[in-house]
């Protein structure tokens, strides 16, 4: 009987323990996905000198925690495992953790007792520094020991990652927040539901779960991978550095001396409300109150500075503008001063769309004028990128698909009897159902200057109207990727026969409208099974220039014939008639595979003056089709002379640049469109811009500026020495009026 009672009591005790554990554990969903931290620090402690390499040879620059390790070394939280090693993969013991945390505590405004007592009986053999640090943690309530009675600390035990979160959370709740910083208490108060991306927190205690998720929201805690925190794993010195650098960011800790940061350094459209924080700290990182700081900003090409590094205060380009009330670029009594926390704020940091504003902060002597050569200024740049102004749409439909008026009933000028059909299919790109089963559109965000806008998560509305035997309308939402781009595919209709006067599904007209805000673009697709017929041509030349030789120049020309679907029209026997100046008669060439080519000769050409040529598609006698005309106006060829070796030239104006061939065509200053001479360059040459040496790429950029502009704007080239085998010296001058 007594044995049974004893067993019953043991079972009851076990059940009680299990019940207690169950109350401490938290039940979390399989996936509490929250891929974005909602309360990150707005500013960083790891800037300026704190971001410079600490010199640890076992921490490569590309290491995930390299910046964190450099930062905590700068602030003296870590001393490394040797003079030049950090040992990032080594596990952190509880003794080491106490040293790290007490050093961190002093930096974030937590006062620690110098003679803190402790109840631990297992730390007597440790160094005095370690015993003091452990006592200080206990005094602050950050650690409670490693046994239920709280009498042992376990200094040699590795720190578990869930315990690390608890230690950091307790410390942050006691620290002094910096501007734009937060603590775990702020997260708990601000969010009705705090989450993380971690799916392995089920076995953790409620307090550890809260600490981990709150630190995630603060941007302090990271996982062992994207979805796992690894609460029972031991923390490495590398991961520990990440936690501590994150704590510093939320505090008032900043590098010694002057620093400047902005909460918004880049955005789309005009920026008018960036918050700029200027900070000043002593050599031991203590806030300095009353430090006067001159603050000004500049925009434009020179960003507020003259070429000599002095502040630009006149003119409209790069005008320096006072920010805080003092004189422009000069120390005086009206300059802003730091508050008791060693900071001051500017709440209206700005940059107009498409520009960058650079804010300069410096602490020169009263009466001094800013000169970048003499002072240690700090800067922060605010870039306002051009926002979306247009949608650029391309598709898998051939660029040469027939999309002009052709219906004879409507009297179109390019009518073709073989293409006559209902008015509804006028002026739409045609797609051959026998060949193509889908069409994909690509939409790219573009700014007002035609540049790509790489803006993600922009929701583009796609409305598709399919008009066949029946009409349907559907609207979808598609978000842009990191490149500011979406793709959308429409599938070909089912092939059905015509029924009476109705348009069958194999003649379906699809109208696709892409819309972003007030910006809208529409594209149409007409699905057909009509037989291919000649509809259009394209005239090209092998080169835009031709070298004059023996008083003549050759012109290599091609005419490509397309059908209404934009495919090469491969009708056997088709011919094209070519005429080049000085040829006695027109010459016919067969259009094999849809292309006809011919090389003609222009006798006595004038260098720099384009040679004209013409071509026509030969009438094949079929009354049902009209032969498409050939437009050669944009396919001219310019005869040129090749520059002579060892020659020199001044005042040359650039008519054209052929960057793929490393050549440019230039003429005299008197007639800037006269590109009579061809020059070749390569990487062995010397390139100058306004007398200063530049790279070949920079030379090409300058060559290509405003070559179609007025004479005062086109680039001017001096050929100091020319050698087509290498060793040439070119100096390109960019006009001030560019």
């Amino acid at each position: 009987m007594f044995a049974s009672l004893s067993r019953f009591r043991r079972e009851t005790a076990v059940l009680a323990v299990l019940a207690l554990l169950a109350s401490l554990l938290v039940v979390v969903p399989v996936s509490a996905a929250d891929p974005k931290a909602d309360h990150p620090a707005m500013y960083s402690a790891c800037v300026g000198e704190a971001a410079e390499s600490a010199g640890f040879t076992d921490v490569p620059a590309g290491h995930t925690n390299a910046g964190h390790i450099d930062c905590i070394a700068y602030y003296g939280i870590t001393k490394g495992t040797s003079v030049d090693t950090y040992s990032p993969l080594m596990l952190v013991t509880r003794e080491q953790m106490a040293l790290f945390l007490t050093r961190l505590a002093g930096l974030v405004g937590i006062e620690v007792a110098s003679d803190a007592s402790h109840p631990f009986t297992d730390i007597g053999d440790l160094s005095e520094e370690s015993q003091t640090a452990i006592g200080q943690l206990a005094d602050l309530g950050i650690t409670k020991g490693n046994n239920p009675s709280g009498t042992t600390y376990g200094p040699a035990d590795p720190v578990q990652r869930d315990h690390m979160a608890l230690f950091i959370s307790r410390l942050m709740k006691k620290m002094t927040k910096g501007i734009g910083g937060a603590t775990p208490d702020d997260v708990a108060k601000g969010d009705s539901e705090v989450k993380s991306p971690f799916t392995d927190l089920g076995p953790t205690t409620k307090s550890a779960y809260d600490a981990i998720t709150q630190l995630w929201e603060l941007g302090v805690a990271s996982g062992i991978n994207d979805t796992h925190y690894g609460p029972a794993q031991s923390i490495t010195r590398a991961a520990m550095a990440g936690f501590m650098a994150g704590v510093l960011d939320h505090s008032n800790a900043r590098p010694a001396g002057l620093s400047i940061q902005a909460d918004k350094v880049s955005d789309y459209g005009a920026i008018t409300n960036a918050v700029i924080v200027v900070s000043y700290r002593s050599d031991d990182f203590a806030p300095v109150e009353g430090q006067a700081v001159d603050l000004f900003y500049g925009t434009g090409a020179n960003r507020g500075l003259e070429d000599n590094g002095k502040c630009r205060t006149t003119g409209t380009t790069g005008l320096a503008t006072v920010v805080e009330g003092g004189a422009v670029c000069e120390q005086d009594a009206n300059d802003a001063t730091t508050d008791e926390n060693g900071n001051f704020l500017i709440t209206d940091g700005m940059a107009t769309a498409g520009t960058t504003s650079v804010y300069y902060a410096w602490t020169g002597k009263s009466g001094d004028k800013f000169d970048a050569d003499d002072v240690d200024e700090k800067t922060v740049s605010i870039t306002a990128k051009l926002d979306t102004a247009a949608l650029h749409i391309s598709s898998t439909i051939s660029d040469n698909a027939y999309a002009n008026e052709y219906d004879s009933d409507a009297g179109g000028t390019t009518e073709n009897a073989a293409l006559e059909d209902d008015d509804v299919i006028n002026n739409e790109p045609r797609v051959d159902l026998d060949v193509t089963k889908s069409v994909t559109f690509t939409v790219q965000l573009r700014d007002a200057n035609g540049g790509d806008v790489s803006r993600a998560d922009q929701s583009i509305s796609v409305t598709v109207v399919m008009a066949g035997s029946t009409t349907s309308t559907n609207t979808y939402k598609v978000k842009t990727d990191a490149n500011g781009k979406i793709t959308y595919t429409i599938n070909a209709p089912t092939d059905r026969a015509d029924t009476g006067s109705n348009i069958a599904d194999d003649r379906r007209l699809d109208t696709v409208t892409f819309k972003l805000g007030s910006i809208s673009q529409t594209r149409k697709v007409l699905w057909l099974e009509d037989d291919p017929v000649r509809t259009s041509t394209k005239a090209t030349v092998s080169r835009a220039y031709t070298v004059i030789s023996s008083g003549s120049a050759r012109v290599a020309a091609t005419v490509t014939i397309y059908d209404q679907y934009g495919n090469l029209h491969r009708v056997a026997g088709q011919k094209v008639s070519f005429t080049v100046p000085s040829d006695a008669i027109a010459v016919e060439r067969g259009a094999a595979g849809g292309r006809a080519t011919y090389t003609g000769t222009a006798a006595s050409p004038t260098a720099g003056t384009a040679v004209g040529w013409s071509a026509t598609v030969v009438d094949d006698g079929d009354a049902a089709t009209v032969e498409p005309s050939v437009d050669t106006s944009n396919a001219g060829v310019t005869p040129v002379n090749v520059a002579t070796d060892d020659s020199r030239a001044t005042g040359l104006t650039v008519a054209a640049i052929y960057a793929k061939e490393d050549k440019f065509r230039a003429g005299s200053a008197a007639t800037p469109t006269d590109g009579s001479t061809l020059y070749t360059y390569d990487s062995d040459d010397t390139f100058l811009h306004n007398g200063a040496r530049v790279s070949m790429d920079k030379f090409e950029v300058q060559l290509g500026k405003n070559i179609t502009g007025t004479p005062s704007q086109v680039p001017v080239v001096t050929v100091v020495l020319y050698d087509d085998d290498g060793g040439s010296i070119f100096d390109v001058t960019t006009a001030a009026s560019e």
Side-chain angles (χ1 to χ4, degrees), residues 1-13:
M1 174 180 176
F2 295 106
S4 298
L5 180 60
S6 177
R7 186 178 69 245
F8 173 76
R9 288 172 176 165
R10 286 198 303 271
E11 290 174 350
T12 302

Side-chain angles (χ1 to χ4, degrees), residues 136-452:
Q136 290 169 335
L137 288 189
D139 181 66
L140 292 169
I142 292 175
T143 182
K144 300 173 183 178
N146 70 338
N147 67 353
S149 64
T151 57
T152 60
Y153 179 74
D157 296 343
V159 180
Q160 286 189 188
R161 289 175 55 85
D162 56 350
H163 294 168
M164 187 68 188
L166 287 167
F167 296 142
I168 291 291
S169 178
R170 293 165 187 161
L171 181 142
M172 289 191 74
K173 291 178 180 181
K174 297 178 180 294
M175 78 177 192
T176 302
K177 290 186 295 185
I179 297 171
T183 70
D185 286 339
D186 296 321
V187 175
K189 294 174 184 176
D191 286 358
S192 58
E193 184 179 9
V194 181
K195 298 187 296 183
S196 74
F198 307 128
T199 60
D200 61 344
L201 303 184
T204 61
T205 63
K206 177 66 165 62
S207 57
Y209 175 84
D210 288 344
I212 293 166
T213 52
Q214 289 166 5
L215 292 180
W216 160 259
E217 293 282 21
L218 291 167
V220 172
S222 58
I224 56 175
N225 58 39
D226 290 343
T227 59
H228 290 73
Y229 178 77
Q233 292 190 21
S234 299
I235 196 164
T236 64
R237 288 170 57 85
M240 179 275 299
F243 277 70
M244 295 197 170
V247 175
L248 287 170
D249 288 345
H250 282 280
S251 75
N252 195 45
R254 294 297 180 263
L258 181 66
S259 64
I260 180 172
Q261 299 184 67
D263 68 332
K264 186 183 297 182
V265 296
S266 178
D267 205 350
Y268 290 95
I271 298 174
T272 59
N273 59 350
V275 180
I276 298 171
V277 177
V278 178
S279 302
Y280 202 90
R281 301 290 183 270
S282 65
D283 289 344
D284 58 356
F285 313 121
V288 176
E289 183 178 4
Q291 174 64 54
V293 180
D294 191 44
L295 185 64
F296 64 93
Y297 72 92
T299 61
N302 293 305
R303 303 286 188 263
L305 297 183
E306 300 281 5
D307 292 340
N308 60 7
K310 295 183 182 297
C311 183
R312 178 186 292 272
T313 56
T314 59
T316 57
T317 301
L319 179 66
T321 304
V322 68
V323 175
E324 82 298 342
V328 179
C329 315
E330 187 172 350
Q331 281 289 340
D332 60 37
N334 294 319
D335 286 328
T337 58
T338 54
D339 60 18
E340 61 182 1
N341 294 314
N343 311 308
F344 72 81
L345 281 75
I346 301 296
T347 60
D348 56 355
M350 60 75 61
T352 57
T355 69
T356 294
S357 293
V358 181
Y359 283 76
Y360 297 83
W362 72 295
T363 56
K365 295 179 181 178
S366 179
D368 282 356
K369 196 73 174 178
F370 180 88
D371 185 341
D373 292 334
D374 297 335
V375 301
D376 183 20
E377 85 280 7
K378 302 296 181 181
T379 65
V380 65
S381 297
I382 299 176
T383 299
K385 296 178 285 188
L386 290 175
D387 208 346
T388 304
L391 303 177
H392 178 265
I393 302 176
S394 57
S395 75
T396 52
I397 301 174
S398 170
D399 292 339
N400 301 295
Y402 195 81
N404 297 315
E405 172 70 60
Y406 68 81
D407 181 25
S408 60
D409 293 336
T413 56
T414 59
E415 66 182 48
N416 189 317
L419 292 178
E420 183 176 344
D421 209 315
D422 299 289
D423 291 345
V424 71
I425 63 172
N426 287 341
N427 207 33
E428 318 302 348
R430 286 134 183 85
V431 177
D432 189 352
L433 266 173
D434 290 333
V435 177
T436 305
K437 299 307 177 186
S438 66
V439 170
T440 297
F441 293 94
T442 299
V443 182
Q444 172 67 58
L445 306 183
R446 290 277 175 88
D447 60 34
N449 293 334
D452 289 351

Side-chain angles (χ1 to χ4, degrees), residues 480-735:
T480 55
D481 61 16
N483 296 315
K485 184 182 296 183
I486 70 164
T487 58
Y488 186 82
T489 299
I490 57 174
N491 294 317
T494 303
D495 187 7
R496 298 176 183 172
D498 292 338
T499 56
S501 61
N502 293 330
I503 300 175
D505 287 337
D506 66 339
R507 306 189 69 75
R508 191 180 76 196
L509 176 65
D510 291 349
T511 304
V512 187
T513 301
F514 302 94
K515 188 173 183 181
L516 176 65
S518 61
I519 306 169
S520 181
Q521 288 279 344
T522 296
R523 294 293 183 269
K524 297 184 178 182
V525 179
L526 180 63
W527 302 92
L528 295 175
E529 285 188 315
D530 295 346
D531 292 336
V533 294
R534 298 181 298 276
T535 58
S536 62
T537 63
K538 179 177 287 186
T540 57
V541 290
S542 61
R543 271 182 176 165
Y545 65 88
T546 180
V547 176
I548 299 174
S549 177
S550 301
S552 63
R554 299 179 70 78
V555 178
T558 299
V559 171
T560 306
I561 305 173
Y562 299 96
D563 63 24
Q564 70 269 41
Y565 304 116
N567 301 321
L568 291 176
H569 192 59
R570 302 172 184 272
V571 175
Q574 181 65 61
K575 293 183 178 180
V576 175
S577 176
F578 292 87
T579 302
V580 175
S582 77
D583 276 349
I585 59 174
V587 178
E588 292 185 358
R589 290 288 185 268
R595 287 191 178 91
T597 59
Y598 173 70
T599 300
T601 301
S604 304
T606 301
T609 301
V611 173
W613 61 282
S614 61
T616 58
V617 178
V618 177
D619 191 343
D620 62 359
D622 185 354
T625 61
V626 176
E627 314 309 331
S629 61
V630 180
D631 182 4
T632 60
S633 59
N634 293 320
V637 182
T638 302
V640 295
N641 293 311
V642 176
T644 306
D645 269 0
D646 299 324
S647 62
R648 291 172 170 79
T650 59
L652 297 179
T653 54
V654 180
I657 177 173
Y658 311 108
K660 290 183 179 180
E661 300 181 40
D662 295 341
K663 293 181 173 68
F664 68 90
R665 185 162 53 84
S668 65
T671 53
T673 58
D674 164 28
S676 58
T677 306
L678 187 71
Y679 290 88
T680 299
Y681 58 90
D682 59 33
S683 58
D684 293 329
D685 296 329
T686 298
F687 305 100
L688 307 174
H689 175 221
N690 295 332
R693 188 158 185 168
V694 295
S695 66
M696 191 171 88
D697 288 343
K698 179 68 177 294
F699 174 73
E700 289 179 333
V701 169
Q702 297 302 322
L703 277 185
K705 283 188 174 180
N706 299 310
I707 59 175
T708 59
T710 58
S712 64
Q713 292 177 305
V714 296
V716 176
V717 176
T718 296
V719 181
V720 181
L721 178 66
Y722 182 70
D723 183 344
D724 63 2
D725 291 328
S728 301
I729 303 174
F730 300 99
D731 188 358
V732 57
T733 301
T734 305

Side-chain angles (χ1 to χ4, degrees), residues 128-142:
E128 183 177 345
E129 183 184 13
S130 293
Q131 292 187 53
T132 299
I134 294 169
Q136 290 169 335
L137 288 189
D139 181 66
L140 292 169
I142 292 175

